Amino acid sequence: MPAEPRMAFSVANPEAPGLEVRVNFGVWAGREATSAEIEELAHELLPELGELTILAERRYEFDERCEAELHQVCVAIPAERLPWDDDEIQRLRELVVARAEHWARASAARRHAEL
C-alpha cells in the first residue's frame, strides 16, 4: 500500500540556517489557514521552542502543462534557538513536524473547503 504524502516536512536551507518546517495546508484543507489557526499553532509550539516565526503564503507554480496555487504555512526557528546537539535538533525537528501535521489535520477536519 503506498504511503500517504506528508502534510508537514522539514526543509534544509543553507542560505538561512536554522530549522524550517513547511505545511502544505491548502492541499488538505482546500483553503488558506486563518489567523486564529496560525495563532493556535504558535501557542502549541512556543513552550518547546521559545521563539519562532510562522509564515503563511500563497504560492503560484507554472509550467507549460499546468499551473497550481498552493497555500503553505512555514514554521521557522532561528539557528541561535536550536540546541547544539545533533540528536536534540533531530528530536526538535520531529516534534515540530508532528505537531504541525496534527494542527493542520485538525484544522482541516474542523473546516474544509471543497476544491
PDB file of all heavy atoms in Angstrom, residues 50-90:
ATOM      1  N   GLY A  50      10.246  28.525  22.369  1.00  0.00           N
ATOM      2  CA  GLY A  50      10.599  29.825  22.935  1.00  0.00           C
ATOM      3  C   GLY A  50      10.525  30.976  21.947  1.00  0.00           C
ATOM      4  O   GLY A  50      10.167  32.074  22.313  1.00  0.00           O
ATOM      5  N   GLU A  51      10.892  30.730  20.699  1.00  0.00           N
ATOM      6  CA  GLU A  51      10.853  31.774  19.658  1.00  0.00           C
ATOM      7  C   GLU A  51      10.690  31.092  18.306  1.00  0.00           C
ATOM      8  O   GLU A  51      11.333  30.087  18.028  1.00  0.00           O
ATOM      9  CB  GLU A  51      12.149  32.566  19.673  1.00  0.00           C
ATOM     10  CG  GLU A  51      12.227  33.662  18.628  1.00  0.00           C
ATOM     11  CD  GLU A  51      13.573  34.382  18.639  1.00  0.00           C
ATOM     12  OE1 GLU A  51      14.291  34.329  19.646  1.00  0.00           O
ATOM     13  OE2 GLU A  51      13.882  34.986  17.602  1.00  0.00           O
ATOM     14  N   LEU A  52       9.821  31.651  17.487  1.00  0.00           N
ATOM     15  CA  LEU A  52       9.605  31.115  16.151  1.00  0.00           C
ATOM     16  C   LEU A  52       8.933  32.151  15.282  1.00  0.00           C
ATOM     17  O   LEU A  52       8.399  33.134  15.780  1.00  0.00           O
ATOM     18  CB  LEU A  52       8.759  29.836  16.181  1.00  0.00           C
ATOM     19  CG  LEU A  52       7.323  30.010  16.670  1.00  0.00           C
ATOM     20  CD1 LEU A  52       6.375  29.302  15.722  1.00  0.00           C
ATOM     21  CD2 LEU A  52       7.191  29.428  18.044  1.00  0.00           C
ATOM     22  N   THR A  53       8.990  31.927  13.999  1.00  0.00           N
ATOM     23  CA  THR A  53       8.281  32.752  13.030  1.00  0.00           C
ATOM     24  C   THR A  53       7.387  31.826  12.222  1.00  0.00           C
ATOM     25  O   THR A  53       7.807  30.734  11.842  1.00  0.00           O
ATOM     26  CB  THR A  53       9.272  33.457  12.076  1.00  0.00           C
ATOM     27  OG1 THR A  53      10.116  34.299  12.848  1.00  0.00           O
ATOM     28  CG2 THR A  53       8.547  34.277  11.025  1.00  0.00           C
ATOM     29  N   ILE A  54       6.161  32.252  11.974  1.00  0.00           N
ATOM     30  CA  ILE A  54       5.260  31.482  11.127  1.00  0.00           C
ATOM     31  C   ILE A  54       4.879  32.350   9.940  1.00  0.00           C
ATOM     32  O   ILE A  54       4.405  33.475  10.105  1.00  0.00           O
ATOM     33  CB  ILE A  54       3.992  31.029  11.888  1.00  0.00           C
ATOM     34  CG1 ILE A  54       4.384  30.121  13.058  1.00  0.00           C
ATOM     35  CG2 ILE A  54       3.031  30.310  10.940  1.00  0.00           C
ATOM     36  CD1 ILE A  54       3.224  29.652  13.899  1.00  0.00           C
ATOM     37  N   LEU A  55       5.108  31.819   8.760  1.00  0.00           N
ATOM     38  CA  LEU A  55       4.741  32.493   7.519  1.00  0.00           C
ATOM     39  C   LEU A  55       3.584  31.728   6.888  1.00  0.00           C
ATOM     40  O   LEU A  55       3.615  30.499   6.819  1.00  0.00           O
ATOM     41  CB  LEU A  55       5.910  32.493   6.533  1.00  0.00           C
ATOM     42  CG  LEU A  55       7.210  33.105   7.021  1.00  0.00           C
ATOM     43  CD1 LEU A  55       8.339  32.756   6.070  1.00  0.00           C
ATOM     44  CD2 LEU A  55       7.069  34.598   7.132  1.00  0.00           C
ATOM     45  N   ALA A  56       2.596  32.445   6.424  1.00  0.00           N
ATOM     46  CA  ALA A  56       1.508  31.842   5.653  1.00  0.00           C
ATOM     47  C   ALA A  56       1.585  32.461   4.274  1.00  0.00           C
ATOM     48  O   ALA A  56       1.564  33.682   4.142  1.00  0.00           O
ATOM     49  CB  ALA A  56       0.164  32.116   6.306  1.00  0.00           C
ATOM     50  N   GLU A  57       1.719  31.624   3.276  1.00  0.00           N
ATOM     51  CA  GLU A  57       1.917  32.169   1.937  1.00  0.00           C
ATOM     52  C   GLU A  57       1.042  31.481   0.904  1.00  0.00           C
ATOM     53  O   GLU A  57       0.639  30.339   1.065  1.00  0.00           O
ATOM     54  CB  GLU A  57       3.387  32.083   1.525  1.00  0.00           C
ATOM     55  CG  GLU A  57       3.925  30.684   1.425  1.00  0.00           C
ATOM     56  CD  GLU A  57       5.407  30.655   1.100  1.00  0.00           C
ATOM     57  OE1 GLU A  57       6.036  31.718   0.954  1.00  0.00           O
ATOM     58  OE2 GLU A  57       5.952  29.551   1.003  1.00  0.00           O
ATOM     59  N   ARG A  58       0.775  32.211  -0.131  1.00  0.00           N
ATOM     60  CA  ARG A  58       0.083  31.696  -1.307  1.00  0.00           C
ATOM     61  C   ARG A  58       1.132  31.666  -2.413  1.00  0.00           C
ATOM     62  O   ARG A  58       1.701  32.692  -2.758  1.00  0.00           O
ATOM     63  CB  ARG A  58      -1.067  32.608  -1.690  1.00  0.00           C
ATOM     64  CG  ARG A  58      -1.845  32.092  -2.877  1.00  0.00           C
ATOM     65  CD  ARG A  58      -2.920  33.037  -3.293  1.00  0.00           C
ATOM     66  NE  ARG A  58      -3.893  33.175  -2.205  1.00  0.00           N
ATOM     67  CZ  ARG A  58      -4.872  34.052  -2.220  1.00  0.00           C
ATOM     68  NH1 ARG A  58      -5.001  34.878  -3.231  1.00  0.00           N
ATOM     69  NH2 ARG A  58      -5.716  34.122  -1.222  1.00  0.00           N
ATOM     70  N   ARG A  59       1.407  30.492  -2.910  1.00  0.00           N
ATOM     71  CA  ARG A  59       2.421  30.318  -3.954  1.00  0.00           C
ATOM     72  C   ARG A  59       1.746  29.899  -5.243  1.00  0.00           C
ATOM     73  O   ARG A  59       0.782  29.143  -5.235  1.00  0.00           O
ATOM     74  CB  ARG A  59       3.424  29.241  -3.551  1.00  0.00           C
ATOM     75  CG  ARG A  59       4.215  29.580  -2.331  1.00  0.00           C
ATOM     76  CD  ARG A  59       5.077  28.416  -1.943  1.00  0.00           C
ATOM     77  NE  ARG A  59       5.903  28.006  -3.071  1.00  0.00           N
ATOM     78  CZ  ARG A  59       7.174  27.710  -2.994  1.00  0.00           C
ATOM     79  NH1 ARG A  59       7.782  27.752  -1.831  1.00  0.00           N
ATOM     80  NH2 ARG A  59       7.850  27.352  -4.045  1.00  0.00           N
ATOM     81  N   TYR A  60       2.296  30.385  -6.335  1.00  0.00           N
ATOM     82  CA  TYR A  60       1.805  30.013  -7.655  1.00  0.00           C
ATOM     83  C   TYR A  60       2.951  29.354  -8.401  1.00  0.00           C
ATOM     84  O   TYR A  60       4.051  29.898  -8.454  1.00  0.00           O
ATOM     85  CB  TYR A  60       1.336  31.245  -8.426  1.00  0.00           C
ATOM     86  CG  TYR A  60       0.198  31.958  -7.749  1.00  0.00           C
ATOM     87  CD1 TYR A  60       0.438  32.962  -6.815  1.00  0.00           C
ATOM     88  CD2 TYR A  60      -1.122  31.623  -8.027  1.00  0.00           C
ATOM     89  CE1 TYR A  60      -0.596  33.612  -6.182  1.00  0.00           C
ATOM     90  CE2 TYR A  60      -2.168  32.274  -7.399  1.00  0.00           C
ATOM     91  CZ  TYR A  60      -1.899  33.267  -6.478  1.00  0.00           C
ATOM     92  OH  TYR A  60      -2.925  33.909  -5.849  1.00  0.00           O
ATOM     93  N   GLU A  61       2.705  28.181  -8.953  1.00  0.00           N
ATOM     94  CA  GLU A  61       3.717  27.475  -9.721  1.00  0.00           C
ATOM     95  C   GLU A  61       3.160  27.184 -11.109  1.00  0.00           C
ATOM     96  O   GLU A  61       2.012  26.760 -11.243  1.00  0.00           O
ATOM     97  CB  GLU A  61       4.126  26.193  -9.003  1.00  0.00           C
ATOM     98  CG  GLU A  61       4.779  26.489  -7.663  1.00  0.00           C
ATOM     99  CD  GLU A  61       5.288  25.256  -6.953  1.00  0.00           C
ATOM    100  OE1 GLU A  61       5.212  24.145  -7.526  1.00  0.00           O
ATOM    101  OE2 GLU A  61       5.773  25.408  -5.817  1.00  0.00           O
ATOM    102  N   PHE A  62       3.997  27.413 -12.119  1.00  0.00           N
ATOM    103  CA  PHE A  62       3.560  27.278 -13.508  1.00  0.00           C
ATOM    104  C   PHE A  62       4.592  26.499 -14.314  1.00  0.00           C
ATOM    105  O   PHE A  62       5.787  26.603 -14.072  1.00  0.00           O
ATOM    106  CB  PHE A  62       3.420  28.662 -14.165  1.00  0.00           C
ATOM    107  CG  PHE A  62       2.450  29.573 -13.471  1.00  0.00           C
ATOM    108  CD1 PHE A  62       2.873  30.427 -12.464  1.00  0.00           C
ATOM    109  CD2 PHE A  62       1.116  29.572 -13.827  1.00  0.00           C
ATOM    110  CE1 PHE A  62       1.989  31.265 -11.827  1.00  0.00           C
ATOM    111  CE2 PHE A  62       0.217  30.412 -13.194  1.00  0.00           C
ATOM    112  CZ  PHE A  62       0.651  31.268 -12.194  1.00  0.00           C
ATOM    113  N   ASP A  63       4.111  25.744 -15.277  1.00  0.00           N
ATOM    114  CA  ASP A  63       4.949  25.214 -16.343  1.00  0.00           C
ATOM    115  C   ASP A  63       4.090  25.138 -17.599  1.00  0.00           C
ATOM    116  O   ASP A  63       2.953  25.612 -17.612  1.00  0.00           O
ATOM    117  CB  ASP A  63       5.608  23.885 -15.970  1.00  0.00           C
ATOM    118  CG  ASP A  63       4.643  22.711 -15.838  1.00  0.00           C
ATOM    119  OD1 ASP A  63       3.537  22.756 -16.404  1.00  0.00           O
ATOM    120  OD2 ASP A  63       5.011  21.732 -15.175  1.00  0.00           O
ATOM    121  N   GLU A  64       4.633  24.555 -18.664  1.00  0.00           N
ATOM    122  CA  GLU A  64       3.908  24.544 -19.941  1.00  0.00           C
ATOM    123  C   GLU A  64       2.613  23.735 -19.889  1.00  0.00           C
ATOM    124  O   GLU A  64       1.695  23.964 -20.663  1.00  0.00           O
ATOM    125  CB  GLU A  64       4.802  23.973 -21.060  1.00  0.00           C
ATOM    126  CG  GLU A  64       5.987  24.832 -21.408  1.00  0.00           C
ATOM    127  CD  GLU A  64       7.133  24.674 -20.415  1.00  0.00           C
ATOM    128  OE1 GLU A  64       7.268  23.602 -19.778  1.00  0.00           O
ATOM    129  OE2 GLU A  64       7.884  25.648 -20.248  1.00  0.00           O
ATOM    130  N   ARG A  65       2.524  22.766 -18.970  1.00  0.00           N
ATOM    131  CA  ARG A  65       1.375  21.871 -18.934  1.00  0.00           C
ATOM    132  C   ARG A  65       0.346  22.195 -17.859  1.00  0.00           C
ATOM    133  O   ARG A  65      -0.796  21.773 -17.944  1.00  0.00           O
ATOM    134  CB  ARG A  65       1.858  20.433 -18.745  1.00  0.00           C
ATOM    135  CG  ARG A  65       2.698  19.928 -19.898  1.00  0.00           C
ATOM    136  CD  ARG A  65       3.173  18.501 -19.673  1.00  0.00           C
ATOM    137  NE  ARG A  65       3.792  18.282 -18.375  1.00  0.00           N
ATOM    138  CZ  ARG A  65       5.076  18.494 -18.101  1.00  0.00           C
ATOM    139  NH1 ARG A  65       5.884  18.936 -19.019  1.00  0.00           N
ATOM    140  NH2 ARG A  65       5.544  18.251 -16.896  1.00  0.00           N
ATOM    141  N   CYS A  66       0.754  22.900 -16.819  1.00  0.00           N
ATOM    142  CA  CYS A  66      -0.204  23.128 -15.736  1.00  0.00           C
ATOM    143  C   CYS A  66       0.181  24.345 -14.908  1.00  0.00           C
ATOM    144  O   CYS A  66       1.265  24.904 -15.060  1.00  0.00           O
ATOM    145  CB  CYS A  66      -0.307  21.892 -14.839  1.00  0.00           C
ATOM    146  SG  CYS A  66       1.183  21.534 -13.924  1.00  0.00           S
ATOM    147  N   GLU A  67      -0.723  24.713 -14.043  1.00  0.00           N
ATOM    148  CA  GLU A  67      -0.477  25.765 -13.068  1.00  0.00           C
ATOM    149  C   GLU A  67      -1.114  25.340 -11.758  1.00  0.00           C
ATOM    150  O   GLU A  67      -2.102  24.610 -11.740  1.00  0.00           O
ATOM    151  CB  GLU A  67      -0.997  27.110 -13.539  1.00  0.00           C
ATOM    152  CG  GLU A  67      -2.456  27.136 -13.915  1.00  0.00           C
ATOM    153  CD  GLU A  67      -2.866  28.460 -14.527  1.00  0.00           C
ATOM    154  OE1 GLU A  67      -2.368  28.793 -15.607  1.00  0.00           O
ATOM    155  OE2 GLU A  67      -3.686  29.145 -13.893  1.00  0.00           O
ATOM    156  N   ALA A  68      -0.523  25.798 -10.653  1.00  0.00           N
ATOM    157  CA  ALA A  68      -1.021  25.406  -9.337  1.00  0.00           C
ATOM    158  C   ALA A  68      -0.944  26.597  -8.390  1.00  0.00           C
ATOM    159  O   ALA A  68      -0.036  27.422  -8.470  1.00  0.00           O
ATOM    160  CB  ALA A  68      -0.189  24.262  -8.782  1.00  0.00           C
ATOM    161  N   GLU A  69      -1.923  26.663  -7.515  1.00  0.00           N
ATOM    162  CA  GLU A  69      -1.932  27.642  -6.433  1.00  0.00           C
ATOM    163  C   GLU A  69      -1.821  26.856  -5.134  1.00  0.00           C
ATOM    164  O   GLU A  69      -2.614  25.952  -4.877  1.00  0.00           O
ATOM    165  CB  GLU A  69      -3.233  28.443  -6.445  1.00  0.00           C
ATOM    166  CG  GLU A  69      -3.310  29.472  -5.351  1.00  0.00           C
ATOM    167  CD  GLU A  69      -4.616  30.243  -5.359  1.00  0.00           C
ATOM    168  OE1 GLU A  69      -5.386  30.133  -6.329  1.00  0.00           O
ATOM    169  OE2 GLU A  69      -4.865  30.960  -4.385  1.00  0.00           O
ATOM    170  N   LEU A  70      -0.813  27.170  -4.329  1.00  0.00           N
ATOM    171  CA  LEU A  70      -0.552  26.442  -3.100  1.00  0.00           C
ATOM    172  C   LEU A  70      -0.703  27.358  -1.899  1.00  0.00           C
ATOM    173  O   LEU A  70      -0.264  28.506  -1.935  1.00  0.00           O
ATOM    174  CB  LEU A  70       0.880  25.880  -3.105  1.00  0.00           C
ATOM    175  CG  LEU A  70       1.277  25.038  -4.297  1.00  0.00           C
ATOM    176  CD1 LEU A  70       2.769  24.760  -4.276  1.00  0.00           C
ATOM    177  CD2 LEU A  70       0.492  23.747  -4.324  1.00  0.00           C
ATOM    178  N   HIS A  71      -1.306  26.847  -0.863  1.00  0.00           N
ATOM    179  CA  HIS A  71      -1.410  27.567   0.407  1.00  0.00           C
ATOM    180  C   HIS A  71      -0.513  26.821   1.385  1.00  0.00           C
ATOM    181  O   HIS A  71      -0.807  25.693   1.763  1.00  0.00           O
ATOM    182  CB  HIS A  71      -2.852  27.601   0.904  1.00  0.00           C
ATOM    183  CG  HIS A  71      -3.780  28.232  -0.071  1.00  0.00           C
ATOM    184  ND1 HIS A  71      -3.796  29.589  -0.297  1.00  0.00           N
ATOM    185  CD2 HIS A  71      -4.694  27.698  -0.901  1.00  0.00           C
ATOM    186  CE1 HIS A  71      -4.698  29.857  -1.224  1.00  0.00           C
ATOM    187  NE2 HIS A  71      -5.258  28.722  -1.609  1.00  0.00           N
ATOM    188  N   GLN A  72       0.575  27.473   1.761  1.00  0.00           N
ATOM    189  CA  GLN A  72       1.582  26.819   2.579  1.00  0.00           C
ATOM    190  C   GLN A  72       1.850  27.631   3.837  1.00  0.00           C
ATOM    191  O   GLN A  72       1.818  28.860   3.808  1.00  0.00           O
ATOM    192  CB  GLN A  72       2.863  26.678   1.759  1.00  0.00           C
ATOM    193  CG  GLN A  72       3.859  25.702   2.314  1.00  0.00           C
ATOM    194  CD  GLN A  72       4.979  25.464   1.326  1.00  0.00           C
ATOM    195  OE1 GLN A  72       5.782  26.356   1.108  1.00  0.00           O
ATOM    196  NE2 GLN A  72       5.017  24.291   0.731  1.00  0.00           N
ATOM    197  N   VAL A  73       2.085  26.923   4.938  1.00  0.00           N
ATOM    198  CA  VAL A  73       2.460  27.543   6.198  1.00  0.00           C
ATOM    199  C   VAL A  73       3.871  27.077   6.512  1.00  0.00           C
ATOM    200  O   VAL A  73       4.190  25.901   6.372  1.00  0.00           O
ATOM    201  CB  VAL A  73       1.483  27.138   7.332  1.00  0.00           C
ATOM    202  CG1 VAL A  73       1.959  27.646   8.683  1.00  0.00           C
ATOM    203  CG2 VAL A  73       0.076  27.646   7.023  1.00  0.00           C
ATOM    204  N   CYS A  74       4.719  28.001   6.925  1.00  0.00           N
ATOM    205  CA  CYS A  74       6.114  27.690   7.210  1.00  0.00           C
ATOM    206  C   CYS A  74       6.437  28.105   8.648  1.00  0.00           C
ATOM    207  O   CYS A  74       6.203  29.246   9.029  1.00  0.00           O
ATOM    208  CB  CYS A  74       7.021  28.423   6.229  1.00  0.00           C
ATOM    209  SG  CYS A  74       8.766  28.207   6.565  1.00  0.00           S
ATOM    210  N   VAL A  75       6.968  27.169   9.422  1.00  0.00           N
ATOM    211  CA  VAL A  75       7.430  27.439  10.781  1.00  0.00           C
ATOM    212  C   VAL A  75       8.950  27.525  10.719  1.00  0.00           C
ATOM    213  O   VAL A  75       9.610  26.584  10.272  1.00  0.00           O
ATOM    214  CB  VAL A  75       7.012  26.320  11.757  1.00  0.00           C
ATOM    215  CG1 VAL A  75       7.547  26.602  13.153  1.00  0.00           C
ATOM    216  CG2 VAL A  75       5.502  26.151  11.765  1.00  0.00           C
ATOM    217  N   ALA A  76       9.516  28.655  11.138  1.00  0.00           N
ATOM    218  CA  ALA A  76      10.960  28.860  11.089  1.00  0.00           C
ATOM    219  C   ALA A  76      11.489  29.124  12.498  1.00  0.00           C
ATOM    220  O   ALA A  76      10.959  29.976  13.218  1.00  0.00           O
ATOM    221  CB  ALA A  76      11.303  30.028  10.172  1.00  0.00           C
ATOM    222  N   ILE A  77      12.536  28.381  12.863  1.00  0.00           N
ATOM    223  CA  ILE A  77      13.195  28.558  14.148  1.00  0.00           C
ATOM    224  C   ILE A  77      14.616  29.030  13.864  1.00  0.00           C
ATOM    225  O   ILE A  77      15.348  28.365  13.123  1.00  0.00           O
ATOM    226  CB  ILE A  77      13.223  27.243  14.964  1.00  0.00           C
ATOM    227  CG1 ILE A  77      11.794  26.765  15.235  1.00  0.00           C
ATOM    228  CG2 ILE A  77      13.951  27.443  16.277  1.00  0.00           C
ATOM    229  CD1 ILE A  77      11.353  25.669  14.363  1.00  0.00           C
ATOM    230  N   PRO A  78      15.009  30.187  14.401  1.00  0.00           N
ATOM    231  CA  PRO A  78      16.350  30.699  14.114  1.00  0.00           C
ATOM    232  C   PRO A  78      17.438  29.772  14.664  1.00  0.00           C
ATOM    233  O   PRO A  78      17.247  29.096  15.675  1.00  0.00           O
ATOM    234  CB  PRO A  78      16.383  32.066  14.802  1.00  0.00           C
ATOM    235  CG  PRO A  78      15.221  32.093  15.722  1.00  0.00           C
ATOM    236  CD  PRO A  78      14.252  31.048  15.295  1.00  0.00           C
ATOM    237  N   ALA A  79      18.576  29.753  13.992  1.00  0.00           N
ATOM    238  CA  ALA A  79      19.692  28.874  14.361  1.00  0.00           C
ATOM    239  C   ALA A  79      20.120  29.074  15.814  1.00  0.00           C
ATOM    240  O   ALA A  79      20.443  28.106  16.505  1.00  0.00           O
ATOM    241  CB  ALA A  79      20.868  29.103  13.417  1.00  0.00           C
ATOM    242  N   GLU A  80      20.098  30.313  16.294  1.00  0.00           N
ATOM    243  CA  GLU A  80      20.553  30.569  17.665  1.00  0.00           C
ATOM    244  C   GLU A  80      19.626  29.983  18.726  1.00  0.00           C
ATOM    245  O   GLU A  80      19.990  29.889  19.891  1.00  0.00           O
ATOM    246  CB  GLU A  80      20.782  32.068  17.912  1.00  0.00           C
ATOM    247  CG  GLU A  80      19.583  32.941  17.707  1.00  0.00           C
ATOM    248  CD  GLU A  80      19.393  33.445  16.278  1.00  0.00           C
ATOM    249  OE1 GLU A  80      20.115  32.994  15.366  1.00  0.00           O
ATOM    250  OE2 GLU A  80      18.507  34.277  16.090  1.00  0.00           O
ATOM    251  N   ARG A  81      18.415  29.590  18.340  1.00  0.00           N
ATOM    252  CA  ARG A  81      17.468  28.984  19.277  1.00  0.00           C
ATOM    253  C   ARG A  81      17.563  27.455  19.279  1.00  0.00           C
ATOM    254  O   ARG A  81      16.906  26.795  20.076  1.00  0.00           O
ATOM    255  CB  ARG A  81      16.033  29.390  18.935  1.00  0.00           C
ATOM    256  CG  ARG A  81      15.740  30.863  19.070  1.00  0.00           C
ATOM    257  CD  ARG A  81      15.857  31.358  20.468  1.00  0.00           C
ATOM    258  NE  ARG A  81      14.893  30.673  21.330  1.00  0.00           N
ATOM    259  CZ  ARG A  81      14.802  30.860  22.622  1.00  0.00           C
ATOM    260  NH1 ARG A  81      15.614  31.684  23.226  1.00  0.00           N
ATOM    261  NH2 ARG A  81      13.919  30.215  23.337  1.00  0.00           N
ATOM    262  N   LEU A  82      18.372  26.889  18.378  1.00  0.00           N
ATOM    263  CA  LEU A  82      18.495  25.439  18.288  1.00  0.00           C
ATOM    264  C   LEU A  82      19.522  24.920  19.292  1.00  0.00           C
ATOM    265  O   LEU A  82      20.505  25.599  19.585  1.00  0.00           O
ATOM    266  CB  LEU A  82      18.925  25.029  16.874  1.00  0.00           C
ATOM    267  CG  LEU A  82      17.923  25.334  15.759  1.00  0.00           C
ATOM    268  CD1 LEU A  82      18.509  24.934  14.411  1.00  0.00           C
ATOM    269  CD2 LEU A  82      16.596  24.640  16.002  1.00  0.00           C
ATOM    270  N   PRO A  83      19.311  23.692  19.779  1.00  0.00           N
ATOM    271  CA  PRO A  83      20.312  23.096  20.667  1.00  0.00           C
ATOM    272  C   PRO A  83      21.592  22.782  19.883  1.00  0.00           C
ATOM    273  O   PRO A  83      21.585  22.723  18.657  1.00  0.00           O
ATOM    274  CB  PRO A  83      19.633  21.805  21.154  1.00  0.00           C
ATOM    275  CG  PRO A  83      18.518  21.554  20.210  1.00  0.00           C
ATOM    276  CD  PRO A  83      18.155  22.853  19.569  1.00  0.00           C
ATOM    277  N   TRP A  84      22.693  22.583  20.597  1.00  0.00           N
ATOM    278  CA  TRP A  84      23.971  22.285  19.953  1.00  0.00           C
ATOM    279  C   TRP A  84      24.053  20.833  19.503  1.00  0.00           C
ATOM    280  O   TRP A  84      24.717  20.509  18.535  1.00  0.00           O
ATOM    281  CB  TRP A  84      25.130  22.575  20.915  1.00  0.00           C
ATOM    282  CG  TRP A  84      25.305  24.044  21.127  1.00  0.00           C
ATOM    283  CD1 TRP A  84      24.812  24.788  22.166  1.00  0.00           C
ATOM    284  CD2 TRP A  84      25.991  24.958  20.286  1.00  0.00           C
ATOM    285  NE1 TRP A  84      25.156  26.109  22.011  1.00  0.00           N
ATOM    286  CE2 TRP A  84      25.891  26.233  20.862  1.00  0.00           C
ATOM    287  CE3 TRP A  84      26.688  24.825  19.095  1.00  0.00           C
ATOM    288  CZ2 TRP A  84      26.458  27.357  20.298  1.00  0.00           C
ATOM    289  CZ3 TRP A  84      27.265  25.952  18.539  1.00  0.00           C
ATOM    290  CH2 TRP A  84      27.143  27.190  19.132  1.00  0.00           C
ATOM    291  N   ASP A  85      23.403  19.965  20.189  1.00  0.00           N
ATOM    292  CA  ASP A  85      23.487  18.530  19.946  1.00  0.00           C
ATOM    293  C   ASP A  85      22.634  18.123  18.739  1.00  0.00           C
ATOM    294  O   ASP A  85      21.449  18.466  18.669  1.00  0.00           O
ATOM    295  CB  ASP A  85      23.018  17.788  21.209  1.00  0.00           C
ATOM    296  CG  ASP A  85      23.120  16.299  21.071  1.00  0.00           C
ATOM    297  OD1 ASP A  85      24.220  15.760  21.284  1.00  0.00           O
ATOM    298  OD2 ASP A  85      22.084  15.680  20.740  1.00  0.00           O
ATOM    299  N   ASP A  86      23.233  17.386  17.801  1.00  0.00           N
ATOM    300  CA  ASP A  86      22.515  16.969  16.589  1.00  0.00           C
ATOM    301  C   ASP A  86      21.310  16.088  16.904  1.00  0.00           C
ATOM    302  O   ASP A  86      20.281  16.182  16.233  1.00  0.00           O
ATOM    303  CB  ASP A  86      23.454  16.227  15.626  1.00  0.00           C
ATOM    304  CG  ASP A  86      24.430  17.161  14.939  1.00  0.00           C
ATOM    305  OD1 ASP A  86      24.180  18.392  14.925  1.00  0.00           O
ATOM    306  OD2 ASP A  86      25.451  16.669  14.407  1.00  0.00           O
ATOM    307  N   ASP A  87      21.431  15.233  17.917  1.00  0.00           N
ATOM    308  CA  ASP A  87      20.295  14.376  18.294  1.00  0.00           C
ATOM    309  C   ASP A  87      19.139  15.217  18.824  1.00  0.00           C
ATOM    310  O   ASP A  87      17.971  14.920  18.554  1.00  0.00           O
ATOM    311  CB  ASP A  87      20.719  13.349  19.346  1.00  0.00           C
ATOM    312  CG  ASP A  87      21.655  12.291  18.780  1.00  0.00           C
ATOM    313  OD1 ASP A  87      21.634  12.078  17.544  1.00  0.00           O
ATOM    314  OD2 ASP A  87      22.399  11.674  19.571  1.00  0.00           O
ATOM    315  N   GLU A  88      19.452  16.265  19.575  1.00  0.00           N
ATOM    316  CA  GLU A  88      18.407  17.152  20.083  1.00  0.00           C
ATOM    317  C   GLU A  88      17.760  17.958  18.963  1.00  0.00           C
ATOM    318  O   GLU A  88      16.561  18.209  18.983  1.00  0.00           O
ATOM    319  CB  GLU A  88      18.970  18.092  21.157  1.00  0.00           C
ATOM    320  CG  GLU A  88      19.107  17.443  22.507  1.00  0.00           C
ATOM    321  CD  GLU A  88      17.762  16.962  23.047  1.00  0.00           C
ATOM    322  OE1 GLU A  88      16.818  17.766  23.178  1.00  0.00           O
ATOM    323  OE2 GLU A  88      17.663  15.757  23.334  1.00  0.00           O
ATOM    324  N   ILE A  89      18.547  18.364  17.983  1.00  0.00           N
ATOM    325  CA  ILE A  89      17.986  19.071  16.819  1.00  0.00           C
ATOM    326  C   ILE A  89      17.032  18.146  16.081  1.00  0.00           C
ATOM    327  O   ILE A  89      15.936  18.552  15.695  1.00  0.00           O
ATOM    328  CB  ILE A  89      19.094  19.597  15.890  1.00  0.00           C
ATOM    329  CG1 ILE A  89      19.867  20.724  16.581  1.00  0.00           C
ATOM    330  CG2 ILE A  89      18.505  20.083  14.560  1.00  0.00           C
ATOM    331  CD1 ILE A  89      21.090  21.191  15.824  1.00  0.00           C
ATOM    332  N   GLN A  90      17.424  16.885  15.904  1.00  0.00           N
ATOM    333  CA  GLN A  90      16.553  15.920  15.227  1.00  0.00           C
ATOM    334  C   GLN A  90      15.274  15.691  16.018  1.00  0.00           C
ATOM    335  O   GLN A  90      14.188  15.620  15.456  1.00  0.00           O
ATOM    336  CB  GLN A  90      17.293  14.594  14.996  1.00  0.00           C
ATOM    337  CG  GLN A  90      16.485  13.569  14.246  1.00  0.00           C
ATOM    338  CD  GLN A  90      16.045  14.019  12.864  1.00  0.00           C
ATOM    339  OE1 GLN A  90      16.707  14.837  12.214  1.00  0.00           O
ATOM    340  NE2 GLN A  90      14.929  13.504  12.391  1.00  0.00           N
TER     341      GLN A  90
END
